[in-house]
Amino acid sequence: MRLFRPVGGQREKDGDAALLRAVAAGDPAAMADLYDRHAGWLHARLTRRCADPEVVREVLQDTFVTVWRSAAGHRGQETGGWLWTIAARRLVDARRAQERAARVAGAPLESADGAHEPAAAPSAEDRVLAGLEYGDVGAALDRISPELREVLRATVVDGLSTREAARLLGIPEGTVKSRARRARRELRSALAHLNPSPLGGTA
């Protein structure tokens, strides 16, 4: 499996859109092609978040099961971002399920190396992931361009270095840096528009 795969380019985006339409129509060959295109980089991102390879495999499988069932609901969003939103949600669900099972059993969670860890409240990372889908942050992200949104996901949410993000997204490192700066400016502006200061406009 290729862990990093460049994502981008109009031809590839058009191909993804056609594949999703075929998947929505129930075409298993299109589903296999979509998996081949995207499973590698999704696996890489999930592995950066979770040290348990079994959980990563389950989340990856659940992601594509969800895609198979809900491809008709795709509304033209950038395919990589749409897939990652599904995968991130599945990972958060898997973590919460582990925590619930540990609480029911009255036992601490076991990490990948066999060490026991107590069940924890949702992490800051989980809250960021939720913010990308719900509430004002999600609404603000919808207002910025897809290429800027992808850079934010790669560098902020995934915690990738500039070099790793460039490799993942298939763009130069300088472009990652410039887009990250633009993305932060546009995100701040969008958030300010959604939540204007109650003191704004007063003397």
Side-chain angles (χ1 to χ4, degrees):
M1 177 182 292
R2 292 170 294 173
L3 292 186
F4 284 98
R5 165 191 165 276
V7 177
Q10 190 60 45
R11 181 180 300 178
E12 189 164 21
K13 290 177 182 178
D14 292 344
D16 283 342
L19 285 175
L20 280 169
R21 289 193 295 270
V23 170
D27 184 346
M31 186 71 227
D33 287 344
L34 192 72
Y35 181 94
D36 184 61
R37 283 189 178 202
H38 293 282
W41 70 263
L42 282 170
H43 185 277
R45 285 190 175 185
L46 290 167
T47 298
R48 292 184 66 89
R49 283 185 156 31
C50 178
D52 188 333
E54 184 60 31
V55 172
V56 170
R57 282 193 293 270
E58 289 178 1
V59 168
L60 191 63
Q61 178 179 338
D62 288 347
T63 297
F64 282 97
V65 169
T66 301
V67 170
W68 176 254
R69 292 173 176 170
S70 61
H74 182 258
R75 293 293 181 264
Q77 310 99 305
E78 195 277 327
T79 303
W82 185 66
L83 290 172
W84 177 242
T85 298
I86 296 170
R89 186 185 300 168
R90 296 286 80 78
L91 181 57
V92 171
D93 290 345
R95 286 173 170 166
R96 289 174 179 167
Q98 282 185 319
E99 291 170 0
R100 286 195 298 270
R103 286 195 295 269
V104 169
L109 288 173
E110 184 172 301
S111 64
D113 60 4
H116 290 281
E117 300 174 350
S123 66
E125 179 182 85
D126 290 344
R127 292 194 293 273
V128 170
L129 285 172
L132 287 178
E133 299 177 56
Y134 307 109
D136 291 337
V137 176
L141 278 171
D142 285 342
R143 290 170 176 255
I144 70 176
S145 60
E147 64 270 16
L148 300 185
R149 192 160 56 238
E150 277 299 287
V151 167
L152 273 186
R153 285 197 178 100
T155 58
V156 177
V157 181
D158 296 336
L160 298 179
S161 69
T162 299
R163 177 175 296 179
E164 289 169 331
R167 191 176 178 191
L168 179 67
L169 298 172
I171 57 178
E173 291 181 35
T175 303
V176 171
K177 293 178 182 178
S178 63
R179 286 185 182 178
R181 289 193 294 268
R182 286 173 52 208
R184 286 180 171 86
R185 286 197 301 268
E186 291 193 16
L187 186 62
R188 284 195 296 269
S189 176
L191 284 169
H193 181 77
L194 289 168
N195 288 298
S197 169
L199 300 178
T202 62

